[in-house]
């Protein structure tokens, strides 16, 4: 009897170890503009791969780039500016060339006024006291916001009104909470269920700023992590592409709408 139970326990332990070995763990660093789209994509991926464990951390692309250089434990890096992962490839922090996954768009968004009727020139209105943008020093959406304001000849006039978010998601939060009257944020956030209910948006012409070409890279840390490659491949699936398009991203090979 004891021998039977011992064999049973050994078999159970073996099955548990085999299950643990087949399960994948993945940590993803993702630009804040992906918050809603990537959450949906990850949820769909988990249904098809319930054994895999995926953790996504959202933030500023520039800061993630620095952290990965310093050894931060990220397996995949989805950047809002393709230049950051390209730099990781050049510096030997990535396994393979960068893959572009989308182009982002910037918009005016407000909770307190109808942004769909505004333009960049509206930002000079004295009634607008605070304008939120992401920090141009490390956030791609903030950099493009500055470029657009400079191209429109408005940067110096609105600069005293500017408040800076650490990333584009925090920028949107400033407007949501009333700490700014209007913000320049990602279209993907303006189209999210919560923000779409709270306010309208106006898409800033892309001719006013450099393209927001976005790309991802598998980091050197994920050399022995097949889940990283599997999830990266899933991003090119029709299901994932449909989610990205629904949040206003322009996919590689498609015209800007």
């Amino acid at each position: 009897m004891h021998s039977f139970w011992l064999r049973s326990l050994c078999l159970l332990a073996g099955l548990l170890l085999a299950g643990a070995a087949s399960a994948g763990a993945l940590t993803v660093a993702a630009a804040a503009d992906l918050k809603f789209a990537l959450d949906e994509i990850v949820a769909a991926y988990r249904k098809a791969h319930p054994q895999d464990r995926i953790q996504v951390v959202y933030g500023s692309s520039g800061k993630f780039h620095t952290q990965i250089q310093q050894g931060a434990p990220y397996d995949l890096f989805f950047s809002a500016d393709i230049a950051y992962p390209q730099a990781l490839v050049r510096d030997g922090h990535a396994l393979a060339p960068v893959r572009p996954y989308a182009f982002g768009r910037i918009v005016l968004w407000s909770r307190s006024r109808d942004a769909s009727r505004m333009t960049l020139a509206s930002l000079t209105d004295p009634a607008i006291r605070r304008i939120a943008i992401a920090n141009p020093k490390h956030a791609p959406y903030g950099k493009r916001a500055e470029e657009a304001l400079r191209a429109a000849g408005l940067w110096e006039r609105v600069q005293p009104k500017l408040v800076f978010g650490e990333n584009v998601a925090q920028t949107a939060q400033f407007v949501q909470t009333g700490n700014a009257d209007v913000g320049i944020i990602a279209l993907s956030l303006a189209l999210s269920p919560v923000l779409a209910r709270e306010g309208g948006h106006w898409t800033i012409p892309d001719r006013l700023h450099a393209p927001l070409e976005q790309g991802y890279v598998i980091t050197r840390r994920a050399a022995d992590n097949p889940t990283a490659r599997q999830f990266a491949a899933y991003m090119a699936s029709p299901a994932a592409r449909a989610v990205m398009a629904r949040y206003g991203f322009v996919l590689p090979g498609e015209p800007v709408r």
Side-chain angles (χ1 to χ4, degrees), residues 86-223:
Q86 285 173 338
L88 292 178
V89 171
R90 288 195 304 270
D91 296 339
H93 296 287
L95 290 180
V98 180
R99 296 290 300 273
Y101 65 86
F103 287 87
R105 303 296 303 277
I106 56 175
V107 302
L108 290 181
W109 184 79
S110 177
R111 190 181 181 190
S112 60
R113 59 197 68 227
D114 185 1
S116 67
R117 297 178 177 273
M118 297 173 64
T119 67
L120 288 179
S122 306
L123 300 178
T124 61
D125 184 341
I128 295 176
R129 293 175 298 135
R130 290 183 297 273
I131 303 162
I133 70 171
N135 192 324
K137 294 181 179 178
H138 54 75
Y141 277 88
K143 190 173 182 180
R144 298 300 182 267
E146 179 180 347
E147 290 172 0
L149 289 168
R150 287 188 182 279
L154 299 170
W155 177 254
E156 286 75 16
R157 295 179 66 184
V158 303
Q159 199 170 10
K161 303 181 180 186
L162 295 179
V163 293
F164 299 101
E166 279 297 294
N167 54 63
V168 73
Q170 187 182 65
T171 302
Q173 188 178 37
F174 285 167
V175 186
Q176 273 187 293
T177 56
N179 289 308
D181 303 300
V182 64
I184 299 179
I185 67 169
L187 174 60
S188 59
L189 299 182
L191 291 177
S192 67
V194 174
L195 271 64
R197 285 196 305 267
E198 293 183 352
H201 69 271
W202 177 74
T203 304
I204 295 171
D206 58 352
R207 68 177 183 275
L208 296 178
H209 60 83
L212 263 165
E213 185 177 11
Q214 311 194 357
Y216 73 82
V217 73
I218 300 173
T219 69
R220 192 171 57 192
R221 178 180 186 268

Side-chain angles (χ1 to χ4, degrees), residues 100-103 213 241 250-257:
Y101 65 86
F103 287 87
E213 185 177 11
R241 286 173 63 89
V250 180
L251 303 178
E254 296 185 357
V256 176
R257 294 178 296 280

Side-chain angles (χ1 to χ4, degrees), residues 25-111:
L26 180 65
T27 304
V28 180
D33 67 317
L34 285 172
K35 167 62 182 168
F36 296 97
L38 195 57
D39 277 356
E40 285 193 25
I41 291 170
V42 168
Y45 176 88
R46 282 177 176 147
K47 288 182 180 179
H49 306 276
Q51 75 281 7
D52 291 344
R53 301 185 305 278
I54 301 178
Q55 178 184 8
V56 184
V57 181
Y58 295 100
S60 158
S61 297
K63 289 195 170 183
F64 282 138
H65 165 257
T66 300
Q67 291 168 7
I68 292 169
Q69 283 184 315
Q70 296 171 348
Y74 299 121
D75 302 292
L76 273 172
F77 173 36
F78 287 88
S79 174
D81 187 337
I82 200 169
Y84 287 121
Q86 285 173 338
L88 292 178
V89 171
R90 288 195 304 270
D91 296 339
H93 296 287
L95 290 180
V98 180
R99 296 290 300 273
Y101 65 86
F103 287 87
R105 303 296 303 277
I106 56 175
V107 302
L108 290 181
W109 184 79
S110 177
R111 190 181 181 190

Side-chain angles (χ1 to χ4, degrees), residues 220-233:
R220 192 171 57 192
R221 178 180 186 268
D224 298 319
N225 189 342
T227 304
R229 289 182 286 277
Q230 185 168 269
F231 183 76

